[in-house]
Amino acid sequence: MRFMSIIISAQIGMPTPELMEAMGKLADREIKAGRMIDTAGLMPMETGARVSIKDGKLVIVDGPFVEAKEVVGGYAIFEFQNKEEALALTVEFMQLHIDHMPGWEGTCEVRPFFTPDMGNVCRPHSAAVA
C-alpha cells in the first residue's frame, strides 16, 4: 500500500542541522530498502498561493496566509505492506524531532492513497462529484 506522511506544525523555521542529518540517514535507509518513493520539504507560506471557492467564485490569495495556524512543512511517500509499518516509521521519524529539535511541536499525519480497487469504500470527493 502506498502512504503519504505529511508533517504539520505551528512553528515556522528550518530544522536544526542535527535533525536534517538524522532525517537524511533515515531517508537514505528507506530509499535503499525500496520503501521511500519521494520526499520534500516545502518553501515558506509567503512563496505560495491558495485558490479557493467562495460563494461559487474562485478566490486567489498570495501567501503568506494570515489565518494559518498550522503549516504543512513537508511530505514523504512510501510503499508499505500495511498501516502498522507506516505508523512504525512515523514514530521513528517523530522521535528524531524529539532527539534533535527539543521544544518542537507538530504532527505527522499518515494516510493511505486511494486506489481504484477500493470502489465506493473510500471515494475521494472529486470522484464522488463526477
Side-chain angles (χ1 to χ4, degrees):
M1 288 182 83
R2 193 165 281 191
F3 287 85
M4 177 177 271
S5 297
I6 306 162
I7 191 79
I8 304 164
S9 178
Q11 296 171 310
I12 299 171
M14 291 295 296
T16 63
E18 297 82 12
L19 179 57
M20 291 295 291
E21 181 180 341
M23 288 190 303
K25 288 178 182 176
L26 181 67
D28 286 345
R29 184 191 80 200
E30 293 303 308
I31 290 167
K32 287 176 184 165
R35 291 184 291 262
M36 182 177 276
I37 297 166
D38 190 24
T39 187
L42 300 176
M43 295 292 291
M45 288 188 315
E46 55 268 10
T47 64
R50 286 184 179 166
V51 179
S52 304
I53 300 172
K54 188 167 184 164
D55 297 324
K57 296 180 183 177
L58 292 174
V59 178
I60 301 170
V61 178
D62 284 325
F65 313 114
V66 178
E67 68 278 4
K69 291 183 171 76
E70 293 184 324
V71 177
V72 176
Y75 72 93
I77 299 172
F78 296 93
E79 188 71 40
F80 291 118
Q81 293 296 314
N82 52 46
K83 184 178 177 181
E84 289 73 25
E85 281 187 18
L87 286 173
L89 185 67
T90 301
V91 168
E92 183 179 356
F93 173 75
M94 292 299 277
Q95 184 64 48
L96 294 177
H97 288 72
I98 292 170
D99 296 343
H100 301 288
M101 204 162 167
W104 183 87
E105 292 185 0
T107 302
C108 187
E109 182 177 330
V110 180
R111 294 173 53 191
F113 277 69
F114 174 81
T115 58
D117 62 317
M118 292 176 176
N120 290 329
V121 174
C122 182
R123 182 165 238 162
H125 177 70
S126 59
V129 175

